[in-house]
Amino acid sequence: MSDWESVIGLEVHIQLATRSKIFSGASTEFGAEPNNQACLIDVALPGVLPVCNLEAVRMAVKFGIAIGAGINRKSIFERKNYFYPDLPKGYQISQYQIPIVVGGTLDTVVDGSVHTVGITRAHLEEDAGKSLHDEFPGATGIDLNRAGTPLLEIVSDPDIRSAQQAADYMRRLHRLVTYLGICDGNMQEGSLRCDANVSMRPRGQEELGTRTELKNINSFRFVEKGIITEIDRQIDVLESGGTVIQETRLYDPIRNITRPMRGKEDAQDYRYFPDPDLPPLVLSEEFIDSVRTDFPELPEQRKLRFMTQFNLSEADAAQLTQSRPVADYFESALDHADNPKGVANWINGELSSYLNKEGIDISDSRVDPDALGQIVANVDSGVISGHGGKILLSILWEKPKLSINEIIESENLRQDSDSGTIEALIDEVFAAEPEQVQRLKDGNQKLIGFFVGQVMKKSRGKADPKLVSDIIRKRIRS
Amino acid sequence: MNLANSGLNQIAEALDNREMSSVELCEDYLTRIDDAEQLNAFITIDREGAIENARQVDENRQSGASLGPLAGIPIAHKDIFCTKGLLTSCGSRILSNFISPYSATVVERLSAAGAITIGKTNMDEFAMGSSSEHSYYRPVLNPWDTTRVPGGSSGGSAAAVAAGLIPAATGTDTGGSIRQPAALCGITGIKPSYGRASRFGMIAFASSLDQAGIFARSAKDAALLLDSMCGYDPKDSTSLDIPPPQCTQKLETPLDGLRIGIPEEYFTAGLDAKVAEIVQRALKEYESLGATLIDVKLPNSDAAIPCYYVIAPAEASSNLSRFDGVRYGYRSEHGESLAQMYRKTRSEGFGPEVRRRIMIGTYVLSHGYYDAYYVKAQRVRRLISNDYSRVFETCDLIMGPTTPTTAFEIGAKMSDPVLMYLNDVYTAAVNLAGLPAISIPAGFDELGLPVGLHIVAPYLEEARLLQAAHLYQKHTDYHLATPDLVT
Amino acid sequence: MSVSRKDVKVIATLAQLDLEDHAAKSYIQEMTDILAMIQKLQQIDTSKIDPMPHPQDIQLRLRSDELTEPEQRSELQSIAPSTEKGFYLVPKVLD
């Protein structure tokens, strides 16, 4: 048995979050009726011409700066020629010989060890449409709404050594591009799509083995499981004396196998050549500087700021900055509650459990950051108890339309802070438990908790526990 | 007024003076078009649309509304320009059912100037050809001799203007497709600098070479149309963001000390002796008008045709991939599988010359040949372009023959593609360099067939080109001659 | 330099053109002729010359990220060979 080393490179396509397409003024919004967002340029009518979207270029440059890459001052759009019904022009406009972004790195961290992955290049291109093979009998339906959506294809060096690293690379890339605001990061809608090149070699060998390409592994989980499966398959092939064939394969998550993709055997010849409709993309220093100065805060910077500005622990800050929507949520909630630690606890604790239960992202949370901020503020000011806050959140989760004050009143959550009432309740409890009162007075401090609990019970949770405890302490001292 | 050789300003004057209405004018031209049906100059005639638009212009004129410079003047468009609501076939079966949902910028600009679109002219399929025989809609005939070709690819526009079926028409020029038919039909044909006129809505043949232009009866008419047609278009990334050339305004500016370069490479074997003689006579005329003739060299002239026949088919092979029977146009009924549908559609939809060029273009871009052919040709293209730059350091214009021969007989070159390609020997280099050029009538050979004088100007110097052409036309009358159409 | 039948077949496949026997024969002849003509380029020294893919030295102009195209599906699909429920239809693509 040899000791095998896996060599993995990822090609990730991210959809850039522009309003309009890369070469036309049609909308990129997801979910429209079929072909409602395919304008005459997208359907490639005779005579139409592409005009490039400035924002797509700006986003590509932003990405390049973020990964410390070189930005080519002159890059070239070329045509990649092949026939497919969802490719209306019979070619895809892409960048080939001279891409806009070259070089750069992205660090992965698996089990605490940092591994730097080199980025070969990132280039701009247009997306194709969608083919529906099962909708119509004997026919394939073509929807060109996605055709022309701007993509940034990010190609890594073959630096990745494990499926875990690959999945972490993908997660970190996802976090980076959403932080940069250049991609909405919506995996279900295909905003981030991944192909993996996988090969094996005996550890210590320099030369690369034959690689296969795993296509369309579009979730973090499938990146990891798909690559593990392919690695296992290749090792089996190699150890049984076979050879790995260079081919394109698909990961089938249900059977947990990879299989060759049919119809991809024909050696393709894409006949790339510079698109004569699009002169060279030339970027000035001023343009690149303008992107640099208008740069969003990146995850690590934000974490450090949270630690210093809000006095949060590293663990809390790291958890809050794991994704841009969570960090944004946190900062929005702080507009209503001047208690960073408290808001952090509510997000990482109570709110997280609701989100996890339903498997949704914070951006889809039914309780918005304003509401959460107000809940925390009401607890902090003593209007409601912590327990009341939890009740409030649970009601709001079911009925997000309700106002917080209404719920506090209708559910009778307002905390009793009238010391007279509390004194009366304490009198009742003390009267009922004379022996315990004596032990308390003799110095058994543990019993304070017992009495507070008794009073709280009598008040049906409405008494302010802190106030109850203070009054009891005062009584036993006197 | 004699419509066969009336200038645009005569027509405009007649309209202005209410000697005739635009409707009457259109009707007269429509009658002429009907009478000359045998020329096959038109693919589509838009009678109702033309009359309706003419009526609108007449009403506006009556009400004293401000009118564009071409108000009420009928023109025709080469069928390569998309025209909303009208068949736009590009001379091809594959678009023989394509009613365009939009109009080309060139069409819109000319309409905005008041021009009336009377119809769409016949052409070599996808502008690939030099004879207008490669059309899905029967070959166009030369009005000077109907056994001969009018040249191509814009042969329908050239024949229509030459026969006086229309005072002016648009065309496109990728390797000579305006200038060559203008020469063979004895009219004025101009191709402006690459980037002057928008390519949006003009069906692409070879994108880095294609440029819209004008056929007219004189340089003066061409100037008027060119000024309206050219201009920046944000929908075309290669359109120049500069003001239009203002050729009309500069037309009478004297050309003192004009230096004309005469490339020695143009007067060699392959050039018909009579054509050479007529061109020399035209050059003498310029000399007598005060110009200096300078012998110059364009050493890479021989490479122009090979270079062109790599680049143009390469770009065409890709540009024509969109014709796949999926979203518009012809779809073969013999397509069980997708691959079959593609192949049958494209093989039945494209004619032999188009298929040939797609094959050549695919070949020169394919793996293993890309550097040897395509990249090599792009390097040679720079050499050709550099040759012009060098010559224009000492000359203001370059002159020579537009074509090596006068109009040839129908069918004569159909079986030999390479021979056909040599028609563009003097014109194709200009497209490779993106320069403006014009062909103007310079006389007739012993058979009475027209000969064209080819004038090339430096980049963006359309006005100078037209000044020189206009100067010549003020002193000669070749451009006023009209063919006797036997009808 | 001559073109082989195999070359012609590969090229026709890439170009999605039919290749019946008689067509193959004439393609071979015509392409060989045209390539012979193009071959002249090889004699020219271009060692210090950059390719010139565009006729003039211009830069890409960029447009602002705005929605300018109206929804016009029914108009665009009225000229399509086959559509259903807003989709363009083609013979079934197998995988």
Side-chain angles (χ1 to χ4, degrees):
Chain A
M1 281 255 179
S2 320
D3 179 15
W4 296 101
E5 181 181 51
S6 49
V7 177
I8 301 159
L10 296 185
E11 292 169 15
V12 180
H13 287 88
I14 66 162
Q15 280 185 358
L16 297 175
T18 55
R19 296 175 63 213
S20 67
K21 293 185 177 175
I22 184 166
F23 297 118
S24 85
S27 171
T28 55
E29 203 172 315
F30 184 85
E33 289 294 300
N35 291 303
N36 264 7
Q37 285 170 189
C39 70
L40 40 97
I41 293 160
D42 304 324
V43 307
L45 282 192
V48 298
L49 295 170
V51 182
C52 188
N53 187 334
L54 167 69
E55 211 46 43
V57 172
R58 198 194 298 278
M59 288 175 175
V61 171
K62 200 177 253 187
F63 177 77
I65 293 171
I67 60 163
I71 309 296
N72 271 325
R73 298 307 188 260
K74 180 174 174 177
S75 61
I76 307 287
F77 283 108
E78 303 204 32
R79 293 182 181 180
K80 179 182 183 179
N81 294 283
Y82 65 96
F83 283 86
Y84 202 75
D86 61 23
L87 186 71
K89 295 187 291 297
Y91 57 84
Q92 177 194 30
I93 303 176
S94 181
Q95 296 190 306
Y96 184 56
Q97 293 203 34
I98 311 178
I100 186 164
V101 172
V102 278
T105 57
L106 194 69
D107 285 347
T108 64
V109 185
V110 174
D111 297 336
S113 76
V114 178
H115 180 79
T116 300
V117 177
I119 308 284
T120 315
R121 58 184 280 159
H123 66 255
L124 283 165
E125 63 183 25
E126 57 179 343
D127 209 344
K130 274 185 182 162
S131 298
L132 270 77
H133 301 300
D134 303 318
E135 197 81 5
F136 305 96
T140 290
I142 308 295
D143 175 8
L144 298 175
N145 281 347
R146 204 182 62 184
T149 299
L151 297 178
L152 188 67
E153 179 174 340
I154 301 156
V155 182
S156 86
D157 294 336
D159 283 350
I160 299 167
R161 291 290 171 268
S162 71
Q164 293 73 19
Q165 271 178 12
D168 189 61
Y169 170 91
M170 181 90 164
R171 279 197 191 90
R172 282 172 195 272
L173 195 59
H174 179 270
R175 187 173 75 164
L176 176 63
V177 297
T178 49
Y179 258 91
L180 290 170
I182 64 174
C183 177
D184 69 12
N186 194 323
M187 309 289 282
Q188 281 81 34
E189 294 173 7
S191 295
L192 215 89
R193 311 199 288 269
C194 178
D195 302 334
N197 289 303
V198 180
S199 69
M200 305 303 299
R201 64 182 172 193
R203 197 171 298 281
Q205 178 183 303
E206 190 70 24
E207 196 190 331
L208 294 173
T210 305
R211 65 185 165 88
T212 58
E213 184 178 10
L214 272 188
K215 279 269 181 206
N216 300 328
I217 31 182
N218 297 335
S219 78
F220 302 127
R221 205 156 59 91
F222 290 169
V223 166
E224 185 163 342
K225 290 184 71 184
I227 292 174
I228 288 173
T229 307
E230 179 58 13
I231 287 172
D232 289 348
R233 186 192 70 87
Q234 289 192 15
I235 291 175
D236 282 350
V237 169
L238 293 166
E239 292 192 341
S240 61
T243 48
V244 173
I245 307 160
Q246 184 166 346
E247 63 186 351
T248 306
R249 300 180 69 89
L250 283 177
Y251 173 59
D252 176 347
I254 295 163
R255 295 159 63 198
N256 198 34
I257 56 159
T258 70
R259 59 174 172 83
M261 227 169 136
R262 272 180 294 155
K264 283 274 175 184
E265 295 84 3
D266 283 344
Q268 276 290 1
D269 182 347
Y270 292 122
R271 290 157 284 135
Y272 282 98
F273 73 104
D275 191 330
D277 289 331
L278 296 162
L281 170 58
V282 177
L283 301 176
S284 65
E285 298 307 317
E286 295 76 51
F287 178 78
I288 294 168
D289 284 347
S290 77
V291 178
R292 215 186 290 278
T293 47
D294 171 38
F295 219 74
E297 197 178 29
L298 295 180
E300 198 60 23
Q301 294 168 318
R302 203 167 191 182
K303 186 181 94 180
L304 292 174
R305 178 168 66 84
F306 279 13
M307 289 163 66
T308 52
Q309 185 181 344
F310 303 128
N311 206 14
L312 293 176
S313 70
E314 184 170 3
D316 280 344
Q319 205 170 348
L320 288 173
T321 54
Q322 62 179 328
S323 88
R324 183 172 171 176
V326 172
D328 288 346
Y329 190 102
F330 170 71
E331 292 205 75
S332 297
L334 280 188
D335 290 346
H336 300 271
D338 186 21
N339 177 3
K341 175 68 186 162
V343 171
N345 288 346
W346 275 85
I347 291 174
N348 292 336
E350 205 69 11
L351 183 69
S352 282
S353 68
Y354 279 100
L355 295 171
N356 292 341
K357 213 181 293 165
E358 300 199 13
I360 57 176
D361 285 337
I362 200 161
S363 33
D364 299 323
S365 169
R366 299 223 286 273
V367 173
D368 65 26
D370 292 350
L372 189 86
Q374 287 173 42
I375 293 173
V376 177
N378 276 303
V379 173
D380 287 349
S381 65
V383 172
I384 56 175
S385 66
H387 179 69
K390 287 179 185 177
I391 294 170
L392 182 49
L393 179 60
S394 75
I395 292 167
L396 213 49
W397 187 263
E398 296 308 327
K399 295 172 180 161
K401 292 266 162 58
L402 293 181
S403 99
I404 286 184
N405 285 332
E406 271 169 27
I407 300 171
I408 290 175
E409 297 314 326
S410 67
E411 298 296 318
N412 224 359
L413 296 176
R414 190 171 291 280
Q415 193 160 245
D416 218 327
S417 49
D418 176 351
S419 50
T421 323
I422 292 172
E423 297 268 4
L425 291 173
I426 292 174
D427 287 344
E428 280 179 46
V429 172
F430 276 19
E433 303 279 358
E435 283 167 30
Q436 304 291 7
V437 174
Q438 194 49 54
R439 286 172 62 196
L440 180 66
K441 284 186 173 165
D442 290 347
N444 191 342
Q445 293 290 323
K446 285 181 190 160
L447 283 168
I448 289 182
F450 166 75
F451 281 108
V452 172
Q454 291 296 309
V455 175
M456 291 303 290
K457 211 187 243 170
K458 280 204 177 293
S459 79
R460 295 202 192 112
K462 278 162 68 187
D464 179 347
K466 193 164 172 303
L467 192 60
V468 175
S469 155
D470 286 349
I471 295 172
I472 293 174
R473 279 172 207 279
K474 234 180 272 166
R475 287 265 202 110
I476 58 175
R477 271 202 300 272
S478 59
Chain B
M1 99 190 284
N2 177 11
L3 290 184
N5 61 2
S6 298
L8 288 184
N9 50 335
Q10 286 170 270
I11 296 172
E13 218 175 273
L15 289 172
D16 245 5
N17 299 339
R18 319 285 154 91
E19 288 163 35
M20 63 186 341
S21 69
S22 178
V23 170
E24 286 163 348
L25 182 69
C26 284
E27 279 167 349
D28 286 354
Y29 275 115
L30 284 166
T31 307
R32 292 184 66 84
I33 291 170
D34 288 342
D35 290 346
E37 204 189 342
Q38 80 277 14
L39 293 179
N40 299 321
F42 283 82
I43 291 175
T44 300
I45 299 161
D46 184 20
R47 275 169 223 285
E48 290 77 21
I51 297 295
E52 177 52 36
N53 286 328
R55 196 188 314 279
Q56 195 64 51
V57 173
D58 285 338
E59 274 171 28
N60 290 346
R61 197 185 297 277
Q62 217 53 253
S63 70
S66 83
L67 299 171
L70 303 171
I73 293 174
I75 61 167
H77 291 295
K78 185 178 182 180
D79 208 25
I80 200 168
F81 291 100
C82 286
T83 40
K84 188 171 180 168
L86 281 185
L87 172 68
T88 300
S89 76
C90 218
S92 181
R93 184 183 189 193
I94 212 157
L95 287 177
S96 56
N97 61 358
F98 178 66
I99 309 297
S100 179
Y102 78 109
S103 285
T105 301
V106 157
V107 170
E108 287 194 335
R109 287 186 71 100
L110 289 169
S111 296
I116 310 287
T117 300
I118 215 164
K120 307 289 296 290
T121 59
N122 202 349
M123 56 184 285
D124 281 307
E125 184 179 4
F126 285 102
M128 296 177 189
S130 308
S131 67
S132 300
E133 293 165 284
H134 297 294
S135 169
Y136 177 60
Y137 303 88
R138 296 188 294 184
V140 184
L141 313 184
N142 190 319
W144 293 92
D145 177 346
T146 53
T147 66
R148 290 173 188 271
V149 303
S153 65
S154 317
S157 286
V161 173
L165 313 185
I166 196 80
T170 56
T172 60
D173 191 315
T174 305
S177 282
I178 288 175
R179 292 157 291 154
Q180 187 256 10
L184 268 45
C185 289
I187 57 171
T188 300
I190 183 167
K191 168 204 118 58
S193 309
Y194 186 86
R196 269 289 192 200
S198 168
R199 292 188 298 113
F200 188 79
M202 185 174 107
I203 300 176
F205 161 15
S207 313
S208 79
L209 303 165
D210 296 343
Q211 189 61 200
I214 293 295
F215 291 96
R217 301 212 55 84
S218 66
K220 193 175 181 179
D221 288 0
L224 188 63
L225 281 147
L226 204 67
D227 285 345
S228 295
M229 184 185 80
C230 291
Y232 170 61
D233 181 6
K235 291 176 186 165
D236 174 1
S237 302
T238 61
S239 152
L240 295 168
D241 192 358
I242 54 170
Q246 296 186 302
C247 299
T248 303
Q249 200 186 316
K250 295 174 187 158
L251 205 58
E252 302 288 348
T253 311
L255 286 164
D256 292 337
L258 183 71
R259 298 164 302 169
I260 301 172
I262 315 296
E264 60 180 43
E265 293 81 4
Y266 285 6
F267 297 89
T268 51
L271 176 62
D272 178 86
K274 187 68 188 171
V275 172
E277 184 194 320
I278 289 167
V279 170
Q280 293 291 1
R281 196 177 66 207
L283 297 175
K284 289 253 158 36
E285 180 73 34
Y286 273 103
E287 213 172 11
S288 74
L289 291 168
T292 310
L293 304 186
I294 304 171
D295 289 328
V296 297
K297 284 190 168 70
L298 291 171
N300 291 292
S301 291
D302 270 2
I305 290 292
C307 182
Y308 175 84
Y309 277 95
V310 171
I311 293 168
E315 293 182 4
S317 70
S318 175
N319 283 333
L320 270 58
S321 292
R322 68 187 59 197
F323 304 105
D324 58 3
V326 177
R327 298 164 312 284
Y328 48 79
Y330 173 78
R331 177 190 283 194
S332 172
E333 293 181 357
H334 310 287
E336 304 289 296
S337 69
L338 178 72
Q340 238 185 354
M341 189 280 276
Y342 275 158
R343 286 173 202 178
K344 292 288 178 200
T345 294
R346 289 167 59 80
S347 296
E348 294 163 14
F350 293 135
E353 180 62 21
V354 171
R355 293 203 302 270
R356 191 146 53 222
R357 298 214 197 178
I358 291 173
M359 290 290 285
I360 286 289
T362 305
Y363 185 84
V364 298
L365 287 176
S366 67
H367 188 70
Y369 300 104
Y370 179 77
D371 288 320
Y373 288 113
Y374 181 75
V375 177
K376 180 79 185 180
Q378 298 289 25
R379 291 184 203 278
V380 172
R381 178 183 198 172
R382 190 173 294 279
L383 286 176
I384 290 169
S385 173
N386 290 348
D387 282 355
Y388 280 110
S389 307
R390 204 173 307 113
V391 167
F392 282 129
E393 284 169 15
T394 56
C395 297
D396 304 307
L397 295 170
I398 292 171
M399 292 192 190
T402 309
T403 57
T405 65
T406 51
F408 48 91
E409 285 179 344
I410 290 167
K413 300 183 181 181
M414 281 297 269
S415 59
D416 188 344
V418 175
L419 190 65
M420 184 75 96
Y421 297 170
L422 291 175
N423 282 295
D424 299 333
V425 67
Y426 305 125
T427 48
V430 169
N431 299 75
L432 291 167
L435 303 175
I438 194 169
S439 178
I440 55 173
F444 297 88
D445 71 1
E446 56 281 345
L447 295 172
L449 297 169
V451 171
L453 174 71
H454 190 214
I455 314 176
V456 185
Y459 194 51
L460 301 181
E461 298 289 350
E462 289 75 10
R464 189 189 301 167
L465 207 54
L466 287 160
Q467 283 163 43
H470 181 58
L471 178 70
Y472 183 78
Q473 291 178 342
K474 283 201 290 191
H475 293 88
T476 58
D477 58 3
Y478 305 115
H479 64 293
L480 299 176
T482 50
D484 296 322
L485 255 192
V486 185
T487 56
Chain C
M1 170 174 189
S2 73
V3 182
S4 70
R5 176 173 286 268
K6 191 174 156 235
D7 291 338
V8 168
K9 210 178 151 196
V10 169
I11 297 301
T13 305
L14 285 174
Q16 292 289 4
L17 291 172
D18 237 354
L19 200 63
E20 283 153 11
D21 259 7
H22 63 95
K25 257 188 213 149
S26 55
Y27 277 136
I28 291 170
Q29 187 53 51
E30 291 159 1
M31 287 177 72
T32 301
D33 290 352
I34 295 167
L35 290 171
M37 184 264 282
I38 291 168
Q39 210 59 32
K40 280 184 203 153
L41 293 175
Q42 307 307 326
Q43 297 156 9
I44 301 168
D45 179 12
T46 54
S47 48
K48 286 179 188 134
I49 306 296
D50 285 335
M52 182 177 167
H54 296 278
Q56 293 301 332
D57 189 21
I58 52 174
Q59 300 179 1
L60 189 64
R61 206 176 39 238
L62 300 167
R63 54 167 243 279
S64 59
D65 184 22
E66 281 161 21
L67 303 184
T68 53
E69 299 298 323
E71 188 271 299
Q72 48 177 331
R73 182 178 82 186
S74 60
E75 202 182 349
L76 291 177
Q77 296 203 335
S78 69
I79 54 170
S82 174
T83 59
E84 199 177 319
K85 295 180 188 157
F87 290 88
Y88 293 96
L89 293 193
V90 296
K92 194 164 188 100
V93 182
L94 303 165
D95 214 28

